[in-house]
Protein backbone atom coordinates (compact mmCIF):
# COMPACT_ATOMS: atom_id res chain seq x y z
CA UNK A 1 0.00 0.00 0.00
CA UNK A 2 1.42 3.38 -0.92
CA UNK A 3 1.62 6.32 1.48
CA UNK A 4 -1.30 8.17 -0.14
CA UNK A 5 -3.68 5.22 0.24
CA UNK A 6 -2.47 4.64 3.79
CA UNK A 7 -3.09 8.29 4.70
CA UNK A 8 -6.52 8.24 3.07
CA UNK A 9 -7.49 5.04 4.91
CA UNK A 10 -6.49 6.60 8.24
CA UNK A 11 -8.38 9.80 7.38
CA UNK A 12 -11.56 7.94 6.44
CA UNK A 13 -11.43 5.82 9.57
CA UNK A 14 -11.05 8.97 11.70
CA UNK A 15 -14.03 10.45 9.88
CA UNK A 16 -16.04 7.33 10.76
CA UNK A 17 -15.03 7.63 14.41
CA UNK A 18 -16.05 11.31 14.44
CA UNK A 19 -19.46 10.33 13.07
CA UNK A 20 -19.82 7.74 15.84
CA UNK A 21 -19.24 10.44 18.45
CA UNK A 22 -21.89 12.70 16.89
CA UNK A 23 -24.35 9.80 16.69
CA UNK A 24 -24.48 9.42 20.47
CA UNK A 25 -25.17 13.13 20.94
CA UNK A 26 -27.98 13.09 18.37
CA UNK A 27 -29.52 10.02 19.98
CA UNK A 28 -29.41 11.52 23.47
CA UNK A 29 -31.13 14.67 22.17
CA UNK A 30 -33.91 12.75 20.42
CA UNK A 31 -32.74 13.38 16.87
CA UNK A 32 -33.38 9.83 15.72
CA UNK A 33 -33.27 10.38 11.97
CA UNK A 34 -30.02 12.32 12.29
CA UNK A 35 -28.57 9.58 14.43
CA UNK A 36 -29.56 6.92 11.88
CA UNK A 37 -28.08 9.01 9.08
CA UNK A 38 -24.76 9.58 10.83
CA UNK A 39 -24.62 5.91 11.87
CA UNK A 40 -24.81 4.95 8.22
CA UNK A 41 -22.13 7.45 7.27
CA UNK A 42 -19.82 6.15 10.00
CA UNK A 43 -20.21 2.68 8.48
CA UNK A 44 -19.84 4.01 4.95
CA UNK A 45 -16.63 5.93 5.74
CA UNK A 46 -15.18 2.88 7.50
CA UNK A 47 -15.97 0.70 4.46
CA UNK A 48 -14.35 3.30 2.20
CA UNK A 49 -11.26 3.23 4.44
CA UNK A 50 -10.89 -0.49 3.75
CA UNK A 51 -11.34 -0.02 0.03
CA UNK A 52 -8.82 2.78 -0.31
CA UNK A 53 -6.27 0.71 1.60
CA UNK A 54 -6.37 -1.56 -1.45
CA UNK A 55 -6.36 1.31 -3.93
CA UNK A 56 -10.10 1.22 -4.66
CA UNK A 57 -12.39 4.24 -4.83
CA UNK A 58 -15.99 4.65 -5.94
CA UNK A 59 -18.14 7.74 -6.43
CA UNK A 60 -21.46 6.02 -5.65
CA UNK A 61 -22.69 4.36 -2.49
CA UNK A 62 -23.83 1.35 -4.49
CA UNK A 63 -20.31 0.84 -5.83
CA UNK A 64 -18.79 0.94 -2.34
CA UNK A 65 -21.37 -1.50 -1.00
CA UNK A 66 -21.09 -3.92 -3.93
CA UNK A 67 -17.28 -3.99 -3.94
CA UNK A 68 -17.06 -4.27 -0.14
CA UNK A 69 -19.47 -7.20 -0.11
CA UNK A 70 -17.84 -8.97 -3.03
CA UNK A 71 -14.20 -8.53 -2.11
CA UNK A 72 -14.30 -8.58 1.69
CA UNK A 73 -17.47 -10.34 2.84
CA UNK A 74 -18.04 -13.05 0.24
CA UNK A 75 -14.33 -13.78 0.12
CA UNK A 76 -14.31 -14.33 3.89
CA UNK A 77 -11.77 -11.61 4.67
CA UNK A 78 -14.32 -9.93 6.93
CA UNK A 79 -17.26 -11.49 8.75
CA UNK A 80 -20.68 -11.72 7.09
CA UNK A 81 -22.27 -9.72 9.89
CA UNK A 82 -20.48 -6.61 8.59
CA UNK A 83 -22.10 -7.01 5.17
CA UNK A 84 -25.55 -7.22 6.76
CA UNK A 85 -24.86 -4.18 8.92
CA UNK A 86 -23.79 -2.14 5.88
CA UNK A 87 -26.83 -3.19 3.85
CA UNK A 88 -29.30 -2.56 6.68
CA UNK A 89 -27.77 0.81 7.55
CA UNK A 90 -28.03 1.91 3.92
CA UNK A 91 -31.69 0.91 3.75
CA UNK A 92 -32.54 2.68 7.01
CA UNK A 93 -30.67 5.83 5.98
CA UNK A 94 -32.45 5.82 2.63
CA UNK A 95 -35.85 5.45 4.31
CA UNK A 96 -35.11 8.23 6.80
CA UNK A 97 -33.87 10.60 4.12
CA UNK A 98 -36.28 9.93 1.26
CA UNK A 99 -39.50 8.23 2.42
CA UNK A 100 -42.36 10.56 3.25
CA UNK A 101 -43.82 9.93 6.69
CA UNK A 102 -41.16 7.41 7.65
CA UNK A 103 -40.70 7.34 11.42
CA UNK A 104 -37.82 5.50 13.04
CA UNK A 105 -38.20 4.37 16.62
CA UNK A 106 -35.71 4.96 19.39
CA UNK A 107 -35.13 1.20 19.62
CA UNK A 108 -34.34 0.95 15.91
CA UNK A 109 -31.90 3.82 16.18
CA UNK A 110 -30.22 2.31 19.24
CA UNK A 111 -29.67 -0.93 17.28
CA UNK A 112 -28.36 1.09 14.36
CA UNK A 113 -25.91 2.91 16.63
CA UNK A 114 -24.72 -0.34 18.22
CA UNK A 115 -24.20 -1.83 14.77
CA UNK A 116 -22.28 1.24 13.62
CA UNK A 117 -20.02 1.11 16.67
CA UNK A 118 -19.42 -2.60 16.10
CA UNK A 119 -18.71 -2.10 12.38
CA UNK A 120 -16.29 0.77 12.91
CA UNK A 121 -14.54 -1.12 15.72
CA UNK A 122 -14.06 -4.22 13.57
CA UNK A 123 -12.78 -2.14 10.65
CA UNK A 124 -10.41 -0.28 12.96
CA UNK A 125 -9.01 -3.61 14.18
CA UNK A 126 -8.70 -4.95 10.61
CA UNK A 127 -6.95 -1.84 9.34
CA UNK A 128 -4.73 -1.77 12.41
CA UNK A 129 -3.46 -5.22 11.43
CA UNK A 130 -3.10 -4.23 7.78
CA UNK A 131 -1.33 -0.97 8.56
CA UNK A 132 0.82 -2.48 11.26
CA UNK A 133 -0.57 -0.35 14.08
Amino acid sequence: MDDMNRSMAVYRLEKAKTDIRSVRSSLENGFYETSANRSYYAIFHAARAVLVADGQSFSKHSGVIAFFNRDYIKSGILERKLGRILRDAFEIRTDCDYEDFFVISKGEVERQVENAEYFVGRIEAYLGERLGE
Side-chain angles (χ1 to χ4, degrees):
M1 166 184 344
D2 67 26
D3 288 342
M4 182 63 166
N5 288 354
R6 179 187 182 86
S7 294
M8 187 60 73
V10 170
Y11 171 78
R12 289 178 179 173
L13 184 59
E14 286 304 314
K15 195 168 186 173
K17 290 163 46 176
T18 297
D19 282 338
I20 289 292
R21 287 190 295 276
S22 71
V23 160
R24 282 285 170 198
S25 175
S26 295
L27 180 59
E28 290 168 7
N29 288 299
F31 300 117
Y32 300 148
E33 289 182 359
T34 301
S35 188
N37 177 285
R38 296 326 303 166
S39 292
Y40 166 71
Y41 277 100
I43 293 166
F44 179 71
H45 293 310
R48 290 181 69 224
V50 171
L51 271 55
V52 79
D54 286 329
Q56 298 297 322
S57 186
F58 298 89
S59 60
K60 295 186 177 200
H61 292 247
S62 59
V64 169
I65 294 167
F67 191 88
F68 183 85
N69 281 322
R70 187 189 75 215
D71 281 35
Y72 296 94
I73 303 302
K74 289 182 181 175
S75 68
I77 293 172
L78 295 169
E79 62 190 283
R80 288 182 113 35
K81 180 178 180 179
L82 297 180
R84 287 189 300 274
I85 289 172
L86 176 57
R87 181 197 63 230
D88 293 348
F90 177 74
E91 290 173 3
I92 289 169
R93 194 273 310 185
T94 301
D95 288 344
C96 284
D97 286 354
Y98 300 110
E99 291 297 320
D100 293 330
F101 308 112
F102 180 80
V103 177
I104 190 164
S105 72
K106 182 178 181 181
E108 289 173 302
V109 172
E110 288 171 339
R111 276 189 301 283
Q112 179 85 341
V113 170
E114 289 171 9
N115 284 339
E117 290 172 338
Y118 180 82
F119 189 99
V120 172
R122 294 296 298 135
I123 296 303
E124 184 175 25
Y126 171 75
L127 285 175
E129 291 173 16
R130 291 258 344 260
L131 303 175
E133 297 176 0

